[in-house]
Amino acid sequence: MTFKRPLMMLPLLAALACSVQAEDRLEHYQGKPADTLEQAVANFTEGNRELRKLLEGEVTSADLARVHELSYTLENALGKMNKEMKVLAVLLEQVHLASETAKTETVQGSGRAYFEIAETLQLGEGEQ
């Protein structure tokens, strides 16, 4: 019976440790911001280009430090891109459902909004 209380505290302590780690990490590097999808795609493309070069051949300790720093920019870019991909999926579903029920205005309106995002994502494609 005396072991129940300490064992019950383990999940709480683990959660606290994770939150402290996350707070420390936020102050470590910021990375380039990804406030817009265009900025995210540009940072993602540029970051991947640099990461690919860093990983070619032997990786030095200086390369590791740069990879670590660069990962924050890539994480920011992916976070923004993931949010936009969720919006893109919703818009495509609207187009899909509206096409089944012959709602032309919805197909056109949601279709235009869909392509505003899709075309931005496609711009980064050829730049790699």
Side-chain angles (χ1 to χ4, degrees), residues 70-100:
L70 185 59
S71 68
Y72 286 87
T73 294
L74 290 169
E75 288 170 357
N76 291 345
L78 285 172
K80 179 63 174 177
M81 292 167 67
N82 282 333
K83 287 179 186 175
E84 294 291 334
M85 291 299 288
K86 289 176 183 174
V87 172
L88 193 64
V90 168
L91 290 167
L92 182 58
E93 184 65 10
Q94 289 173 354
V95 169
H96 174 95
L97 295 175
S99 70
E100 289 178 344

mmCIF file of all heavy atoms in Angstrom, residues 70-100:
data_model
loop_
_atom_site.group_PDB
_atom_site.id
_atom_site.type_symbol
_atom_site.label_atom_id
_atom_site.label_comp_id
_atom_site.label_asym_id
_atom_site.label_seq_id
_atom_site.Cartn_x
_atom_site.Cartn_y
_atom_site.Cartn_z
ATOM 1 N N LEU A 70 19.319 24.208 -38.139
ATOM 2 C CA LEU A 70 18.461 24.186 -39.322
ATOM 3 C C LEU A 70 17.158 23.442 -39.078
ATOM 4 O O LEU A 70 16.107 23.785 -39.633
ATOM 5 C CB LEU A 70 19.240 23.539 -40.475
ATOM 6 C CG LEU A 70 18.618 23.493 -41.845
ATOM 7 C CD1 LEU A 70 18.292 24.895 -42.342
ATOM 8 C CD2 LEU A 70 19.567 22.790 -42.815
ATOM 9 N N SER A 71 17.192 22.442 -38.218
ATOM 10 C CA SER A 71 15.983 21.654 -37.958
ATOM 11 C C SER A 71 14.854 22.506 -37.380
ATOM 12 O O SER A 71 13.678 22.230 -37.625
ATOM 13 C CB SER A 71 16.292 20.474 -37.030
ATOM 14 O OG SER A 71 16.610 20.917 -35.735
ATOM 15 N N TYR A 72 15.182 23.558 -36.666
ATOM 16 C CA TYR A 72 14.145 24.435 -36.116
ATOM 17 C C TYR A 72 13.405 25.181 -37.229
ATOM 18 O O TYR A 72 12.186 25.320 -37.191
ATOM 19 C CB TYR A 72 14.750 25.424 -35.112
ATOM 20 C CG TYR A 72 15.120 24.771 -33.814
ATOM 21 C CD1 TYR A 72 16.373 24.175 -33.652
ATOM 22 C CD2 TYR A 72 14.223 24.703 -32.757
ATOM 23 C CE1 TYR A 72 16.719 23.555 -32.471
ATOM 24 C CE2 TYR A 72 14.567 24.091 -31.567
ATOM 25 C CZ TYR A 72 15.809 23.511 -31.434
ATOM 26 O OH TYR A 72 16.142 22.890 -30.256
ATOM 27 N N THR A 73 14.139 25.640 -38.218
ATOM 28 C CA THR A 73 13.508 26.308 -39.367
ATOM 29 C C THR A 73 12.622 25.332 -40.119
ATOM 30 O O THR A 73 11.491 25.665 -40.491
ATOM 31 C CB THR A 73 14.592 26.885 -40.301
ATOM 32 O OG1 THR A 73 15.272 27.930 -39.598
ATOM 33 C CG2 THR A 73 13.988 27.452 -41.578
ATOM 34 N N LEU A 74 13.125 24.114 -40.331
ATOM 35 C CA LEU A 74 12.324 23.109 -41.042
ATOM 36 C C LEU A 74 11.084 22.721 -40.247
ATOM 37 O O LEU A 74 10.004 22.532 -40.825
ATOM 38 C CB LEU A 74 13.184 21.879 -41.360
ATOM 39 C CG LEU A 74 14.251 22.106 -42.422
ATOM 40 C CD1 LEU A 74 15.229 20.941 -42.478
ATOM 41 C CD2 LEU A 74 13.609 22.344 -43.778
ATOM 42 N N GLU A 75 11.194 22.620 -38.937
ATOM 43 C CA GLU A 75 10.028 22.313 -38.105
ATOM 44 C C GLU A 75 8.986 23.420 -38.192
ATOM 45 O O GLU A 75 7.782 23.140 -38.264
ATOM 46 C CB GLU A 75 10.450 22.093 -36.649
ATOM 47 C CG GLU A 75 11.189 20.799 -36.432
ATOM 48 C CD GLU A 75 11.815 20.680 -35.051
ATOM 49 O OE1 GLU A 75 11.722 21.638 -34.243
ATOM 50 O OE2 GLU A 75 12.411 19.627 -34.783
ATOM 51 N N ASN A 76 9.427 24.675 -38.189
ATOM 52 C CA ASN A 76 8.496 25.798 -38.337
ATOM 53 C C ASN A 76 7.777 25.719 -39.675
ATOM 54 O O ASN A 76 6.558 25.911 -39.758
ATOM 55 C CB ASN A 76 9.229 27.137 -38.229
ATOM 56 C CG ASN A 76 9.751 27.413 -36.833
ATOM 57 O OD1 ASN A 76 9.362 26.786 -35.868
ATOM 58 N ND2 ASN A 76 10.665 28.359 -36.742
ATOM 59 N N ALA A 77 8.544 25.447 -40.729
ATOM 60 C CA ALA A 77 7.962 25.359 -42.067
ATOM 61 C C ALA A 77 6.953 24.217 -42.147
ATOM 62 O O ALA A 77 5.839 24.394 -42.660
ATOM 63 C CB ALA A 77 9.067 25.166 -43.109
ATOM 64 N N LEU A 78 7.316 23.067 -41.640
ATOM 65 C CA LEU A 78 6.407 21.915 -41.676
ATOM 66 C C LEU A 78 5.143 22.163 -40.855
ATOM 67 O O LEU A 78 4.053 21.739 -41.251
ATOM 68 C CB LEU A 78 7.114 20.655 -41.180
ATOM 69 C CG LEU A 78 8.103 20.040 -42.147
ATOM 70 C CD1 LEU A 78 8.878 18.910 -41.477
ATOM 71 C CD2 LEU A 78 7.396 19.538 -43.396
ATOM 72 N N GLY A 79 5.291 22.838 -39.739
ATOM 73 C CA GLY A 79 4.115 23.153 -38.920
ATOM 74 C C GLY A 79 3.109 23.990 -39.696
ATOM 75 O O GLY A 79 1.912 23.701 -39.691
ATOM 76 N N LYS A 80 3.592 25.031 -40.369
ATOM 77 C CA LYS A 80 2.705 25.884 -41.166
ATOM 78 C C LYS A 80 2.128 25.103 -42.343
ATOM 79 O O LYS A 80 0.932 25.203 -42.647
ATOM 80 C CB LYS A 80 3.473 27.118 -41.663
ATOM 81 C CG LYS A 80 2.653 28.053 -42.512
ATOM 82 C CD LYS A 80 1.491 28.646 -41.731
ATOM 83 C CE LYS A 80 0.762 29.697 -42.536
ATOM 84 N NZ LYS A 80 -0.392 30.226 -41.828
ATOM 85 N N MET A 81 2.970 24.322 -42.999
ATOM 86 C CA MET A 81 2.498 23.544 -44.147
ATOM 87 C C MET A 81 1.448 22.516 -43.726
ATOM 88 O O MET A 81 0.454 22.321 -44.430
ATOM 89 C CB MET A 81 3.682 22.876 -44.846
ATOM 90 C CG MET A 81 4.598 23.890 -45.530
ATOM 91 S SD MET A 81 6.194 23.236 -46.046
ATOM 92 C CE MET A 81 5.709 22.104 -47.324
ATOM 93 N N ASN A 82 1.630 21.898 -42.576
ATOM 94 C CA ASN A 82 0.640 20.936 -42.080
ATOM 95 C C ASN A 82 -0.704 21.603 -41.824
ATOM 96 O O ASN A 82 -1.759 21.046 -42.153
ATOM 97 C CB ASN A 82 1.139 20.242 -40.810
ATOM 98 C CG ASN A 82 2.139 19.164 -41.101
ATOM 99 O OD1 ASN A 82 2.147 18.558 -42.174
ATOM 100 N ND2 ASN A 82 3.015 18.899 -40.154
ATOM 101 N N LYS A 83 -0.674 22.808 -41.242
ATOM 102 C CA LYS A 83 -1.928 23.539 -41.007
ATOM 103 C C LYS A 83 -2.626 23.840 -42.329
ATOM 104 O O LYS A 83 -3.837 23.681 -42.467
ATOM 105 C CB LYS A 83 -1.656 24.844 -40.255
ATOM 106 C CG LYS A 83 -1.313 24.652 -38.805
ATOM 107 C CD LYS A 83 -1.031 25.990 -38.130
ATOM 108 C CE LYS A 83 -0.550 25.783 -36.717
ATOM 109 N NZ LYS A 83 -0.162 27.044 -36.074
ATOM 110 N N GLU A 84 -1.852 24.281 -43.303
ATOM 111 C CA GLU A 84 -2.424 24.616 -44.608
ATOM 112 C C GLU A 84 -2.929 23.369 -45.342
ATOM 113 O O GLU A 84 -3.912 23.437 -46.072
ATOM 114 C CB GLU A 84 -1.395 25.358 -45.466
ATOM 115 C CG GLU A 84 -1.026 26.724 -44.928
ATOM 116 C CD GLU A 84 -2.141 27.745 -45.013
ATOM 117 O OE1 GLU A 84 -3.034 27.621 -45.888
ATOM 118 O OE2 GLU A 84 -2.137 28.690 -44.210
ATOM 119 N N MET A 85 -2.263 22.242 -45.140
ATOM 120 C CA MET A 85 -2.710 20.991 -45.773
ATOM 121 C C MET A 85 -4.073 20.565 -45.216
ATOM 122 O O MET A 85 -4.894 20.029 -45.951
ATOM 123 C CB MET A 85 -1.681 19.880 -45.571
ATOM 124 C CG MET A 85 -0.387 20.108 -46.341
ATOM 125 S SD MET A 85 -0.610 20.198 -48.131
ATOM 126 C CE MET A 85 -0.946 18.495 -48.490
ATOM 127 N N LYS A 86 -4.306 20.836 -43.953
ATOM 128 C CA LYS A 86 -5.613 20.513 -43.367
ATOM 129 C C LYS A 86 -6.699 21.377 -44.011
ATOM 130 O O LYS A 86 -7.784 20.880 -44.324
ATOM 131 C CB LYS A 86 -5.589 20.713 -41.851
ATOM 132 C CG LYS A 86 -4.767 19.665 -41.138
ATOM 133 C CD LYS A 86 -4.680 19.924 -39.651
ATOM 134 C CE LYS A 86 -3.774 18.891 -39.005
ATOM 135 N NZ LYS A 86 -3.517 19.147 -37.602
ATOM 136 N N VAL A 87 -6.405 22.647 -44.220
ATOM 137 C CA VAL A 87 -7.351 23.536 -44.896
ATOM 138 C C VAL A 87 -7.561 23.057 -46.330
ATOM 139 O O VAL A 87 -8.694 23.013 -46.826
ATOM 140 C CB VAL A 87 -6.848 25.004 -44.879
ATOM 141 C CG1 VAL A 87 -7.723 25.893 -45.744
ATOM 142 C CG2 VAL A 87 -6.775 25.520 -43.448
ATOM 143 N N LEU A 88 -6.485 22.673 -46.986
ATOM 144 C CA LEU A 88 -6.551 22.184 -48.358
ATOM 145 C C LEU A 88 -7.463 20.958 -48.457
ATOM 146 O O LEU A 88 -8.286 20.858 -49.376
ATOM 147 C CB LEU A 88 -5.140 21.843 -48.840
ATOM 148 C CG LEU A 88 -4.934 21.611 -50.321
ATOM 149 C CD1 LEU A 88 -5.228 22.876 -51.116
ATOM 150 C CD2 LEU A 88 -3.513 21.147 -50.583
ATOM 151 N N ALA A 89 -7.343 20.052 -47.514
ATOM 152 C CA ALA A 89 -8.182 18.847 -47.503
ATOM 153 C C ALA A 89 -9.664 19.197 -47.335
ATOM 154 O O ALA A 89 -10.529 18.611 -48.001
ATOM 155 C CB ALA A 89 -7.735 17.897 -46.399
ATOM 156 N N VAL A 90 -9.956 20.158 -46.468
ATOM 157 C CA VAL A 90 -11.346 20.595 -46.256
ATOM 158 C C VAL A 90 -11.899 21.212 -47.537
ATOM 159 O O VAL A 90 -13.027 20.912 -47.953
ATOM 160 C CB VAL A 90 -11.448 21.582 -45.070
ATOM 161 C CG1 VAL A 90 -12.809 22.251 -45.021
ATOM 162 C CG2 VAL A 90 -11.144 20.870 -43.762
ATOM 163 N N LEU A 91 -11.104 22.058 -48.175
ATOM 164 C CA LEU A 91 -11.558 22.701 -49.414
ATOM 165 C C LEU A 91 -11.804 21.676 -50.515
ATOM 166 O O LEU A 91 -12.799 21.765 -51.241
ATOM 167 C CB LEU A 91 -10.537 23.746 -49.875
ATOM 168 C CG LEU A 91 -10.453 24.996 -49.013
ATOM 169 C CD1 LEU A 91 -9.216 25.806 -49.369
ATOM 170 C CD2 LEU A 91 -11.715 25.827 -49.138
ATOM 171 N N LEU A 92 -10.932 20.716 -50.646
ATOM 172 C CA LEU A 92 -11.121 19.683 -51.663
ATOM 173 C C LEU A 92 -12.377 18.863 -51.382
ATOM 174 O O LEU A 92 -13.126 18.528 -52.304
ATOM 175 C CB LEU A 92 -9.897 18.773 -51.749
ATOM 176 C CG LEU A 92 -9.973 17.680 -52.818
ATOM 177 C CD1 LEU A 92 -10.180 18.283 -54.212
ATOM 178 C CD2 LEU A 92 -8.737 16.813 -52.774
ATOM 179 N N GLU A 93 -12.623 18.585 -50.117
ATOM 180 C CA GLU A 93 -13.840 17.845 -49.771
ATOM 181 C C GLU A 93 -15.081 18.665 -50.112
ATOM 182 O O GLU A 93 -16.088 18.122 -50.576
ATOM 183 C CB GLU A 93 -13.823 17.469 -48.281
ATOM 184 C CG GLU A 93 -15.001 16.626 -47.844
ATOM 185 C CD GLU A 93 -15.061 15.243 -48.481
ATOM 186 O OE1 GLU A 93 -14.101 14.814 -49.139
ATOM 187 O OE2 GLU A 93 -16.100 14.577 -48.304
ATOM 188 N N GLN A 94 -15.017 19.974 -49.901
ATOM 189 C CA GLN A 94 -16.140 20.833 -50.286
ATOM 190 C C GLN A 94 -16.374 20.774 -51.790
ATOM 191 O O GLN A 94 -17.516 20.685 -52.244
ATOM 192 C CB GLN A 94 -15.881 22.277 -49.854
ATOM 193 C CG GLN A 94 -15.954 22.489 -48.367
ATOM 194 C CD GLN A 94 -15.528 23.884 -47.951
ATOM 195 O OE1 GLN A 94 -15.061 24.690 -48.757
ATOM 196 N NE2 GLN A 94 -15.679 24.178 -46.670
ATOM 197 N N VAL A 95 -15.291 20.821 -52.559
ATOM 198 C CA VAL A 95 -15.401 20.719 -54.015
ATOM 199 C C VAL A 95 -16.005 19.372 -54.392
ATOM 200 O O VAL A 95 -16.915 19.294 -55.216
ATOM 201 C CB VAL A 95 -14.026 20.908 -54.693
ATOM 202 C CG1 VAL A 95 -14.066 20.540 -56.170
ATOM 203 C CG2 VAL A 95 -13.532 22.342 -54.505
ATOM 204 N N HIS A 96 -15.506 18.329 -53.771
ATOM 205 C CA HIS A 96 -15.979 16.973 -54.062
ATOM 206 C C HIS A 96 -17.484 16.834 -53.796
ATOM 207 O O HIS A 96 -18.238 16.384 -54.663
ATOM 208 C CB HIS A 96 -15.189 15.973 -53.201
ATOM 209 C CG HIS A 96 -15.675 14.573 -53.290
ATOM 210 N ND1 HIS A 96 -15.135 13.662 -54.150
ATOM 211 C CD2 HIS A 96 -16.651 13.928 -52.613
ATOM 212 C CE1 HIS A 96 -15.755 12.509 -54.008
ATOM 213 N NE2 HIS A 96 -16.695 12.636 -53.078
ATOM 214 N N LEU A 97 -17.892 17.210 -52.590
ATOM 215 C CA LEU A 97 -19.310 17.065 -52.228
ATOM 216 C C LEU A 97 -20.208 17.965 -53.072
ATOM 217 O O LEU A 97 -21.302 17.560 -53.479
ATOM 218 C CB LEU A 97 -19.511 17.349 -50.741
ATOM 219 C CG LEU A 97 -18.841 16.358 -49.786
ATOM 220 C CD1 LEU A 97 -19.001 16.821 -48.344
ATOM 221 C CD2 LEU A 97 -19.391 14.955 -49.984
ATOM 222 N N ALA A 98 -19.746 19.177 -53.339
ATOM 223 C CA ALA A 98 -20.548 20.104 -54.142
ATOM 224 C C ALA A 98 -20.663 19.606 -55.586
ATOM 225 O O ALA A 98 -21.692 19.811 -56.229
ATOM 226 C CB ALA A 98 -19.939 21.498 -54.108
ATOM 227 N N SER A 99 -19.646 18.940 -56.071
ATOM 228 C CA SER A 99 -19.717 18.408 -57.443
ATOM 229 C C SER A 99 -20.737 17.283 -57.533
ATOM 230 O O SER A 99 -21.389 17.112 -58.564
ATOM 231 C CB SER A 99 -18.347 17.918 -57.918
ATOM 232 O OG SER A 99 -17.952 16.743 -57.233
ATOM 233 N N GLU A 100 -20.912 16.534 -56.463
ATOM 234 C CA GLU A 100 -21.891 15.442 -56.443
ATOM 235 C C GLU A 100 -23.323 15.963 -56.433
ATOM 236 O O GLU A 100 -24.235 15.305 -56.925
ATOM 237 C CB GLU A 100 -21.690 14.561 -55.201
ATOM 238 C CG GLU A 100 -20.449 13.721 -55.233
ATOM 239 C CD GLU A 100 -20.272 12.897 -53.971
ATOM 240 O OE1 GLU A 100 -20.925 13.180 -52.936
ATOM 241 O OE2 GLU A 100 -19.457 11.976 -54.017
#
